[in-house]
Amino acid sequence: MLLDGINHIALISKDVERLGRFYQTVFDAIVGETRDHGPGETMTNIRIGPATELNVFVIAGNIEAARQTPMWGRGRLDHVGLAAASAEAFETIRERLVQAGAGDGTVNDFGTQFSMFFRDPDGLEGEVLIPKK
């Protein structure tokens, strides 16, 4: 393969401080500085893995972060799948998602891996996965 995973996912938020706290609290993510990214626009990097970031944009007057639709009705990008670093990390994340009210703790068995779904504070659906041993 010529690629080594995903570098970043760009998304729009209504409240990057709230979103950053969520990813920091649940996933031990590292929230970077917020900086201008054009007129009425800011960008904040949230490091969610060794080489993966969320590039979070807040854009004045943009209402896309408020628009919510059901699974498979969200357009080209439906949800984000995140890889847990270990089985122990998967369980810690599961507990934190439940505590944050972002998921119900249900673990799905998808044959080769276990999965759980969550919604972040902006409504973006995510999935955390861990391969079966």
Side-chain angles (χ1 to χ4, degrees):
M1 287 186 196
L2 297 177
L3 296 175
D4 187 24
I6 294 174
N7 176 277
H8 72 273
I9 300 166
L11 54 99
I12 299 170
S13 177
K14 298 178 281 192
D15 184 343
V16 71
E17 289 83 14
R18 178 188 64 185
L19 192 67
R21 281 192 306 274
F22 172 79
Y23 281 94
Q24 194 171 41
T25 300
V26 173
F27 300 107
D28 293 338
I30 299 169
V31 180
E33 291 182 30
T34 297
R35 59 189 181 283
D36 287 336
H37 196 265
E41 185 176 311
T42 63
M43 183 177 100
T44 306
N45 294 26
I46 301 175
R47 183 162 294 283
I48 60 171
T52 309
E53 295 180 341
L54 299 177
N55 290 351
V56 183
F57 295 86
V58 175
I59 305 167
N62 187 303
I63 60 169
E64 281 301 309
R67 188 168 61 92
Q68 301 299 317
T69 57
M71 186 178 260
W72 311 128
R74 299 179 185 132
R76 298 176 113 182
L77 178 61
D78 188 79
H79 65 276
V80 175
L82 305 175
S86 66
E88 294 78 14
F90 184 86
E91 182 57 29
T92 297
I93 292 166
R94 189 186 72 74
E95 291 169 6
R96 290 179 180 181
L97 287 171
V98 170
Q99 289 172 354
D104 64 7
T106 299
V107 175
N108 306 292
D109 183 341
F110 289 144
T112 60
Q113 52 194 336
F114 292 111
S115 158
M116 62 184 148
F117 286 92
F118 69 92
R119 279 197 188 265
D120 76 14
D122 283 336
L124 177 67
E125 184 152 333
E127 181 180 14
V128 179
L129 303 110
I130 188 74
K132 285 183 171 180
K133 292 190 179 196

